[in-house]
Amino acid sequence: MTAAHVIADDAEALAVAAALAAEFRAGAAERDAERRLPRAELDRLSRSGLLAVTVPADHGGADVTMGTLAEIFRLLGTADASLAQIPQSHFVYTNVIRRQGTERQRKFFFAELLAGRRFGNAQSEAGTKHVQDIRTRLEPRPDGSYRLTGVKHYSTGALFADWIPVLARVPDDTLHVAYVPRDAPGLSVVDDWDGMGQRTTASGTVRLDAVPLPADRVLPHHLTFEGPQLHGAVAQLLHAAIDTGIADGALKEAAEFVRTKSRPWFESGADAAVEDPLLVQRFGELDLRVRTARALLTEAARAVDAARGRLTDDTAAEASLAVAAAKVRAGEAAVEVAGALFEVAGTRSALNSLNLHRYWRDARTHTLHDPARWKIQHLGRYALTGTPPPRHGLL
């Protein structure tokens, strides 16, 4: 792969993201319909330098704000929700290195990121008691190295990764992240994802059969949650940005369809669909949904950036709750607007050949990541009794 460009600042990062979103939008419907995995597009993303924009300045990166990072994901989400989803874990596990890595580990991995290398993920496991019941094991060896064994599912990005961060437990049951090279012996990635939406994320299975790993590729992730932290807030902010992007993209697609293809309903008396007062009303309602989602996303990103500047229990709680609110509204907007696309565009929009249903399929699939009802519970408890949200990676 050609050496990656190094992005200088937030303004350049946003300009590059906008240009790539326009480029990726052109083939999104065909990639989804044919389930053509976006290897070329991901290589383009790597070369652009966007995957290294959170590398700290003292390691040569742009160290962009979370507001900028959220906007990057929103822009990509308007174009192709699968492509936007693939690097979400990349930034989450970059953040783990920033917080828990030794200086030597940070130097090594940040150089990898600046060179355009990609992180995948191997977090979730099927058939366990709940999402945080991690049974993958890191077994220490006499020489200080490890052997890693387990099976992971929903491993978005792993198929395309240079490094696969794996959540695992050591003998004392504490949680660690093992950064495994994609070509490590004993590691296999199976492209068995068959979800109705986000079809080209290749979120399949990772199998780890006594994978050898040196000690300096393992980080103590459990320490992340022993004090105020933004791990979950950053991860969820990017999910909210993707949902907001889906909603925005679906609304723009609906508007273009109505402007150029839809016929007015005969009872409206209008000469064109765009003059139908009931359609105008519905588009106004949908636009309000998208504007609300974008506003809450912006507010959430500001709260996370503020907490990064002064991290305390209170600022971390405020950031987590702001992100929770944004995630709830973004998910609702994505599903509603993507479904309403057909309501406002009419019968022709349902043609399978147009593949407009990819917006709804992507929205419905992505919003299953974690239940919004629990975010509303935490918002309610805080509003009523001041109970802070729990410290975990999903809030």
Side-chain angles (χ1 to χ4, degrees), residues 113-133:
L113 296 176
L114 289 168
R117 307 285 188 267
R118 294 193 290 264
F119 291 159
N121 97 87
Q123 302 178 110
S124 295
E125 300 179 14
T128 56
K129 185 176 180 180
H130 51 69
V131 71
Q132 293 196 331
D133 181 14

Side-chain angles (χ1 to χ4, degrees), residues 153-206:
H153 298 269
Y154 311 118
S155 302
T156 303
L159 190 68
F160 315 107
D162 299 290
W163 293 89
I164 302 177
V166 180
L167 283 184
R169 296 192 185 277
V170 296
D172 68 3
D173 214 37
T174 56
L175 192 63
H176 287 62
V177 179
Y179 289 76
V180 184
R182 175 65 177 82
D183 59 356
L187 182 149
S188 60
V189 181
V190 185
D191 179 21
D192 56 0
W193 170 243
D194 66 347
M196 68 173 183
Q198 295 198 298
R199 298 184 65 222
T200 61
T201 58
S203 301
T205 301
V206 170

Side-chain angles (χ1 to χ4, degrees), residues 57 94 180-181 336 343:
T94 297
V180 184
E336 180 181 357
E343 170 195 337

Side-chain angles (χ1 to χ4, degrees), residues 9-16 68:
D9 53 29
D10 292 65
E12 185 184 5
L14 291 173
V16 170
T68 292

Side-chain angles (χ1 to χ4, degrees), residues 53-354:
V53 293
T54 59
V55 170
D58 58 359
H59 285 269
D63 200 9
V64 301
T65 66
M66 290 300 100
T68 292
L69 188 62
E71 180 64 4
I72 289 169
F73 273 80
R74 190 196 68 80
L75 287 167
L76 295 176
T78 66
D80 184 336
S82 287
L83 195 51
Q85 176 63 30
I86 291 169
Q88 190 267 348
S89 290
H90 171 94
F91 286 98
V92 170
Y93 285 104
T94 297
N95 202 33
V96 172
I97 292 168
R98 182 170 184 151
R99 185 172 173 92
Q100 298 301 339
T102 65
E103 182 56 32
R104 180 180 175 184
Q105 288 170 325
R106 288 195 292 267
K107 182 178 180 180
F108 174 79
F109 280 114
F110 290 154
E112 287 284 281
L113 296 176
L114 289 168
R117 307 285 188 267
R118 294 193 290 264
F119 291 159
N121 97 87
Q123 302 178 110
S124 295
E125 300 179 14
T128 56
K129 185 176 180 180
H130 51 69
V131 71
Q132 293 196 331
D133 181 14
I134 303 297
R135 300 181 184 179
T136 298
R137 292 288 157 176
L138 271 167
E139 297 294 338
R141 309 295 292 172
D143 63 358
S145 67
Y146 292 92
R147 289 290 184 272
L148 180 62
T149 300
V151 180
K152 298 289 188 175
H153 298 269
Y154 311 118
S155 302
T156 303
L159 190 68
F160 315 107
D162 299 290
W163 293 89
I164 302 177
V166 180
L167 283 184
R169 296 192 185 277
V170 296
D172 68 3
D173 214 37
T174 56
L175 192 63
H176 287 62
V177 179
Y179 289 76
V180 184
R182 175 65 177 82
D183 59 356
L187 182 149
S188 60
V189 181
V190 185
D191 179 21
D192 56 0
W193 170 243
D194 66 347
M196 68 173 183
Q198 295 198 298
R199 298 184 65 222
T200 61
T201 58
S203 301
T205 301
V206 170
R207 299 184 184 279
L208 305 139
D209 183 12
V211 176
L213 203 64
D216 63 358
R217 296 296 179 262
V218 177
L219 278 70
H221 192 34
H222 62 101
L223 298 180
T224 299
F225 306 101
E226 291 187 358
Q229 51 80 36
L230 298 171
H231 178 81
V234 171
Q236 291 287 304
L237 181 71
L238 303 185
H239 283 306
I242 294 167
D243 288 338
T244 304
I246 294 172
D248 202 353
L251 184 62
K252 287 181 170 61
E253 188 90 61
E256 177 64 16
F257 195 98
V258 170
R259 282 194 297 266
T260 60
K261 297 181 179 67
S262 294
R263 298 181 297 179
W265 184 243
F266 71 96
E267 291 179 286
S268 71
D271 293 326
V274 294
E275 298 170 359
D276 182 333
L278 298 184
L279 272 182
V280 171
Q281 176 70 22
R282 186 62 174 132
F283 267 95
E285 293 168 352
L286 297 174
D287 185 65
L288 278 172
R289 303 291 191 275
V290 175
R291 286 176 182 270
T292 301
R294 288 187 66 171
L296 285 173
L297 181 68
T298 299
E299 179 183 322
R302 286 174 180 162
V304 174
D305 278 322
R308 288 176 79 201
R310 190 174 67 85
L311 187 59
T312 66
D313 285 331
D314 289 341
T315 61
E318 289 290 346
S320 289
L321 292 166
V323 172
K327 179 69 163 53
V328 171
R329 280 291 176 251
E332 292 172 346
V335 173
E336 180 181 357
V337 177
L341 186 158
F342 303 98
E343 170 195 337
V344 296
T347 306
R348 187 180 174 189
S349 64
L351 293 176
N352 201 52
S353 59
L354 297 176

